[in-house]
Amino acid sequence: MINMKVQYFLITLVFPVILAACNNKQCNDYESLNTSSAWELKFSDECNGNWKDKWFLDGLIAKVENQSDGMNFSAGPVNRNDAHHAVLWSKESFKGDVKIEYYYTRTDSQVVNVNILYIQAQGIGKEGKGKDIYAWREFRNVPKMSIYYEYMNPLHISYAAFPMVNTDSENDYIRVRKYPVNDTISFQDMEVEPSFYKTGLFLPGETYKITVIKTDKVLHFNVEGKDKNRIYSWHLKPGQSPKEGRIGLRHMFTRSAKYSDIKIYTK
């Protein structure tokens, strides 16, 4: 089987790259951040070893399997059953500005439910659930979504995402939220605008390189694959950029994907 990085290189070599969802200032800002010499590599996983060396799992039904070309991560197969959610967390925690790179290949054909990238998650201390989310991992053996946005404070990016009730395979979206909810902030209020719809990205079986950059003031989400290279950006208000925490990969029930060559940098 062709390595995911080699497959991605061949795809981008054969097809022209079209830069969309991007204006000149946005592209320049992203490129300036992405190519900065200040980034220091803090985490690297080619995803072909033992996943338990660098990750821990929320969800008793989820499956993680390493192969020579990447890490297969699958949530449980039963829709609308919270026990079938899954989150894979980095054992390491990351402080300050962060850049996350990885190759992503969707291995399901679902048109419902979402994938989520959690950025710098810590517990908020509610009901004794402290900053170290590993310490209260058993509380998340059934990884119900509300546990995360009620007890943690990360940014979250939904991608390769579909409404929970949907039949349109093109009805995907990309959306950012900042946790947690509280007495004055509802689940809807957590959204960091704008959201993006019908992106044409993350098709089953196709490999994409994802690069995420988070600073105090901005969040960039770059997706490269086949004939598309898109940059999505959000301006962060004071308090919306987490300062430190773990990186998490979430699959809602029924969703699955393969990951390869994950790198995390800080500065």
Side-chain angles (χ1 to χ4, degrees), residues 183-238:
D183 292 340
T184 60
I185 299 175
S186 69
F187 181 80
Q188 287 75 19
D189 293 334
M190 290 191 302
E191 180 177 351
V192 181
E193 296 182 342
S195 294
F196 302 90
Y197 301 92
K198 297 193 173 184
T199 68
L201 298 169
F202 308 115
L203 302 180
E206 293 191 6
T207 298
Y208 299 83
K209 183 181 180 182
I210 293 174
T211 304
V212 176
I213 298 175
K214 185 236 70 171
T215 71
D216 281 343
K217 296 182 179 180
V218 70
L219 176 66
H220 291 298
F221 183 67
N222 178 219
V223 186
E224 302 175 67
K226 203 170 181 178
D227 59 344
K228 295 181 174 65
N229 183 345
R230 296 185 178 175
I231 300 171
Y232 301 92
S233 302
W234 297 264
H235 295 289
L236 301 177
K237 299 176 182 178

Side-chain angles (χ1 to χ4, degrees), residues 3-267:
N3 181 277
M4 291 176 69
K5 288 181 286 185
V6 175
Q7 178 185 357
Y8 169 81
F9 173 77
L10 293 174
I11 288 171
T12 54
L13 184 67
V14 172
F15 292 92
V17 174
I18 301 174
L19 191 60
C22 178
N23 57 49
N24 288 336
K25 184 179 186 304
Q26 179 190 29
C27 294
N28 291 338
D29 288 349
Y30 169 78
E31 286 301 324
S32 178
L33 282 170
N34 189 36
T35 58
S36 170
S37 61
W39 291 113
E40 295 184 15
L41 182 64
K42 299 293 186 179
F43 177 96
S44 180
D45 187 3
E46 294 185 358
C47 300
N48 55 13
N50 186 342
W51 66 271
K52 293 182 180 180
D53 291 343
K54 297 185 177 183
W55 305 87
F56 65 94
L57 181 65
D58 291 355
L60 301 178
I61 298 173
K63 294 181 180 180
V64 185
E65 181 183 15
N66 291 105
Q67 297 179 339
S68 61
D69 62 341
M71 177 173 64
N72 294 300
F73 176 33
S74 302
V78 179
N79 195 30
R80 303 298 186 95
N81 184 328
D82 286 332
H84 287 244
H85 290 307
V87 184
L88 199 58
W89 290 108
S90 65
K91 288 186 175 180
E92 292 186 49
S93 186
F94 305 92
K95 186 175 182 178
D97 293 351
V98 64
K99 180 169 79 166
I100 306 161
E101 298 178 339
Y102 56 97
Y103 292 87
Y104 170 92
T105 306
R106 186 175 152 203
T107 56
D108 65 61
S109 57
Q110 294 293 322
V111 296
V112 292
N113 306 328
V114 309
N115 292 264
I116 292 173
L117 175 68
Y118 289 127
I119 302 171
Q120 293 176 300
Q122 289 186 333
I124 61 173
K126 180 180 178 181
E127 298 176 5
K129 308 301 185 293
K131 289 184 177 181
D132 182 4
I133 62 175
Y134 183 82
W136 48 279
R137 63 194 182 280
E138 291 184 2
F139 184 69
R140 306 186 302 275
N141 281 342
V142 175
K144 187 177 180 180
M145 284 283 295
S146 60
I147 292 175
Y148 298 79
Y149 60 74
E150 290 179 0
Y151 292 88
M152 296 183 187
N153 64 351
L155 278 166
H156 120 185
I157 303 177
S158 298
Y159 66 99
F162 296 91
M164 293 182 68
V165 178
N166 179 60
T167 58
D168 182 357
S169 63
E170 297 182 356
N171 191 30
D172 74 299
Y173 64 87
I174 296 171
R175 178 174 296 141
V176 170
R177 296 188 190 275
K178 174 62 175 73
Y179 298 3
V181 298
N182 57 38
D183 292 340
T184 60
I185 299 175
S186 69
F187 181 80
Q188 287 75 19
D189 293 334
M190 290 191 302
E191 180 177 351
V192 181
E193 296 182 342
S195 294
F196 302 90
Y197 301 92
K198 297 193 173 184
T199 68
L201 298 169
F202 308 115
L203 302 180
E206 293 191 6
T207 298
Y208 299 83
K209 183 181 180 182
I210 293 174
T211 304
V212 176
I213 298 175
K214 185 236 70 171
T215 71
D216 281 343
K217 296 182 179 180
V218 70
L219 176 66
H220 291 298
F221 183 67
N222 178 219
V223 186
E224 302 175 67
K226 203 170 181 178
D227 59 344
K228 295 181 174 65
N229 183 345
R230 296 185 178 175
I231 300 171
Y232 301 92
S233 302
W234 297 264
H235 295 289
L236 301 177
K237 299 176 182 178
Q240 288 185 325
S241 179
K243 304 302 182 184
E244 183 177 2
R246 289 183 165 90
I247 304 302
L249 306 172
R250 182 182 188 95
H251 289 176
M252 286 184 68
F253 26 53
T254 74
R255 301 303 303 273
S256 63
K258 180 177 288 185
Y259 298 83
S260 180
D261 198 22
I262 302 173
K263 290 185 172 67
I264 302 173
Y265 304 80
T266 63
K267 68 179 179 71

